[in-house]
């Protein structure tokens, strides 16, 4: 069977740490969407590692890590990342597998991403500029090149044909950068990629299931960044929700069992777009500094705010979340009071639903106030030892969301996780 770990907010919920924590229970850890826009942080024996392309199970011996067909792959990032992983003593050549159907991110995809963002002026998406949207556009537009294509003798001519299309597109923008250095490292990285295990991912993973192996699907980004259900157009370009597991790996829906939804104890967003519970005051600043809320991929400061149960309930619904994982609970340790958004007031009317176009309506969060627990929880190991005031906060989430918080992460360390009864 397949279990899924995915983000329920606007990304950076702590998925990397949680996947790493659960990896020992599985045989295969598979990324099903997104690309190097992701930045998943793990601590391996105290050393910080940030993974962008490689699944977060790579540090566990004898675990297969699969980059699924739904992922867009930048070979340059992959090569660099394999280098960092090898430096930690990991034999990635043995444990890393890549679907031949995964689409490639070309240097010109990155150029188009940059040019198109610049042209958006003050309506920027806040893209990570990794070429994600242009690469997915070429996939759905049926122009893109896939990992399996690099083994074809006509690859270079196909590449030149697509690059020409991209150059024509770039002429519509004021993009004057010389990308020949990017191209050089791209072709070098393709030679490296050719030495890795490029496979048919869908037969591979279904064979594993047939053999009774356990699969863990690792999501990137978060549900509110989903191309269909997120705060469009301020979203990413892939299906970040549980449905994406089926198309991104070639897995049938009835094979999916547990869906673990990861949420912070509060909320953050990086990049532009609506964020109803955002804090623009010293509490927001305190959360940012205490939680070290700076992007793992771009270093940008993350916008911080209170937990939004309207958005979380929506995310639980569209994903079929069966268990919740609450991360970064320790970041709230010092606060004397906390707010939880239970409802929205949209144009003066109470609503418990996400509107069609969040950025076009006036959303006023309706908050319920809770006492802060004001104690250091980072060393707590058992649920019973958590502060009573924190349990009240968690009970409220359980009640409103109708799904239980089963795991509480109380620090970035791989052992800082508490299981609820
Ligand atoms: P991801 O993209 O969902 O994997 O999350 P990121 O790695 O981008 O961001 C999460 C950040 O929070 C990382 O710096 C983690 O090391 C850190 N982190 C994860 N869980 C916890 C936690 O429970 N407490 C604290 N203080 N930090 C955490
Ligand atoms: P992980 O997996 C947080 C955001 C960007 C931008 C929007 C579109 O680490 O949680 P894109 O580069 O995809 O075209 O950017 O999505 N974004 C993320 N925010 N965490 C991520 O990944 C993100 N990946 C993309 O900031 O607002
Ligand atoms: Mg991240």
């Amino acid at each position: 069977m397949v279990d899924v770990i995915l983000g329920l907010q606007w990304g950076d919920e702590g998925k990397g740490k949680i996947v790493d924590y659960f990896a020992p229970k599985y045989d295969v850890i598979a990324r099903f969407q997104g690309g190097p826009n992701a930045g998943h942080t793990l601590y391996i024996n105290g050393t910080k590692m940030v993974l962008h392309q490689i699944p977060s199970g790579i540090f566990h011996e004898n675990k297969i890590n699969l980059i699924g067909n739904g992922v867009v792959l930048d070979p340059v990032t992959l090569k660099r990342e394999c280098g960092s992983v090898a430096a930690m003593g990991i034999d990635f050549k043995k444990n890393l597998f890549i679907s031949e159907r995964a689409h490639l991110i070309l240097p010109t995809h990155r150029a188009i991403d940059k040019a198109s963002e610049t042209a958006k002026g003050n309506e920027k998406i806040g893209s990570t500029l990794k070429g994600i949207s242009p690469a997915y556009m070429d996939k759905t537009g049926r122009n893109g090149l896939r990992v399996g294509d690099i083994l074809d003798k006509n690859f270079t001519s196909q590449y030149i044909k697509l690059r020409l299309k991209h150059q024509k597109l770039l002429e519509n923008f004021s993009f004057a950068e010389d990308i020949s250095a990017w191209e050089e490292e791209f072709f070098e990285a393709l030679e490296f990629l050719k030495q890795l295990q490029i496979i048919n991912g869908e037969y591979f993973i279904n064979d594993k299931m047939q053999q009774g192996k356990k699969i863990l699907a690792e999501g990137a980004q978060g549900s509110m960044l989903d191309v269909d259900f997120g705060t469009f157009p301020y979203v990413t370009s892939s299906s970040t929700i549980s449905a994406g597991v089926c198309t991104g790996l070639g897995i049938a829906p009835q094979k999916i069992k547990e869906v673990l939804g990861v949420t912070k104890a509060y909320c953050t967003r990086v990049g532009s777009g609506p964020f109803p519970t955002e804090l623009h005051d010293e509490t927001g600043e305190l959360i940012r500094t205490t939680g070290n809320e700076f992007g793992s991929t771009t270093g940008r400061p993350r916008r911080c705010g209170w937990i939004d149960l309207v958005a979380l309930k929506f995310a639980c619904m569209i994903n079929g979340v069966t268990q919740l994982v609450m991360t970064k609970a320790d970041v709230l340790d010092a606060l004397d009071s906390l707010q939880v958004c239970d409802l929205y007031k949209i144009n003066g009317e109470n609503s418990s639903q996400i509107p069609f176009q969040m950025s076009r309506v006036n959303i006023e969060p309706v908050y319920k106030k809770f006492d802060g627990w004001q104690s250091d929880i980072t060393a707590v190991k058992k649920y019973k030892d958590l502060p009573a005031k924190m349990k009240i906060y968690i009970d409220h989430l359980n009640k409103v969301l109708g799904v239980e918080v089963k795991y509480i992460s109380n620090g970035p360390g791989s052992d800082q996780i508490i299981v609820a009864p």
Side-chain angles (χ1 to χ4, degrees), residues 7 26 35 38 66-67 90 142 156 193 263-265 303 313 372 396:
Y26 295 88
L66 172 66
I67 298 179
I90 300 298
R142 298 163 296 181
T156 309
L193 180 56
T263 171
K264 283 178 186 170
R303 300 154 65 192
K313 201 166 175 161
H396 182 72

Side-chain angles (χ1 to χ4, degrees), residues 4-6 13-24 26 40-43 56-57 60 216 218 260-263 324-328 407-414 416-418:
V4 186
I5 290 179
L6 47 72
E13 296 88 350
K15 300 174 291 292
K17 169 190 159 157
I18 302 303
V19 170
D20 175 52
Y21 170 79
F22 282 104
Y26 295 88
H40 295 180
T41 313
L42 342 168
Y43 280 86
S56 301
H60 296 265
L216 178 61
E218 171 180 5
L260 278 81
V262 188
T263 171
L324 288 166
V325 181
M326 187 172 90
T327 56
K328 307 196 86 161
Y407 301 91
I408 297 132
S409 172
N410 57 337
S414 54
Q416 287 172 299
I417 192 152
I418 298 159

Side-chain angles (χ1 to χ4, degrees), residues 22-98:
F22 282 104
K25 289 189 178 174
Y26 295 88
D27 302 293
V28 181
I29 294 92
R31 274 275 305 268
F32 59 93
Q33 46 70 233
N37 49 349
H40 295 180
T41 313
L42 342 168
Y43 280 86
I44 306 301
N45 305 324
T47 304
K48 183 178 172 176
M49 295 296 297
V50 183
L51 296 172
H52 304 284
Q53 291 273 196
I54 300 178
S56 301
I58 196 71
F59 295 102
H60 296 265
E61 230 182 310
N62 301 325
K63 302 292 175 191
I64 288 167
N65 284 260
L66 172 66
I67 298 179
N69 59 277
V71 170
V72 283
L73 185 81
D74 184 340
V76 179
T77 308
L78 181 71
K79 183 179 172 217
R80 197 179 306 133
E81 205 160 285
C82 284
S84 331
V85 164
M88 300 284 289
I90 300 298
D91 184 3
F92 62 84
K93 285 200 174 159
K94 180 172 141 234
N95 291 342
L96 182 63
F97 294 78
I98 302 160

Side-chain angles (χ1 to χ4, degrees), residues 292-346:
N292 190 24
E293 293 296 357
F294 296 88
S296 312
T297 299
T298 58
R300 292 176 291 177
R302 295 176 183 146
R303 300 154 65 192
C304 299
W306 298 120
I307 199 163
D308 179 343
L309 298 191
V310 179
L312 270 181
K313 201 166 175 161
F314 174 74
C316 287
M317 174 180 80
I318 58 178
N319 284 298
V321 172
T322 58
Q323 297 175 35
L324 288 166
V325 181
M326 187 172 90
T327 56
K328 307 196 86 161
D330 55 298
V331 174
L332 303 180
D333 280 356
L335 299 182
D336 57 3
S337 70
L338 310 167
Q339 308 267 23
V340 174
C341 169
D342 278 359
L343 275 179
Y344 291 162
K345 202 167 244 189
I346 303 180

Side-chain angles (χ1 to χ4, degrees), residues 351-365:
S351 171
S352 56
Q353 295 195 354
I354 294 290
F356 163 62
Q357 186 52 290
M358 261 200 182
S359 53
R360 267 192 231 142
V361 290
N362 174 24
I363 301 180
E364 221 183 291

Side-chain angles (χ1 to χ4, degrees), residues 7 13 99 101 120 154 172 190 195 229 251 308 320 358 404:
E13 296 88 350
S99 164
R101 292 185 193 270
K120 283 196 160 107
N154 294 322
N172 299 315
L190 288 186
Q195 299 164 32
F229 300 107
I251 279 174
D308 179 343
M358 261 200 182
E404 290 198 4

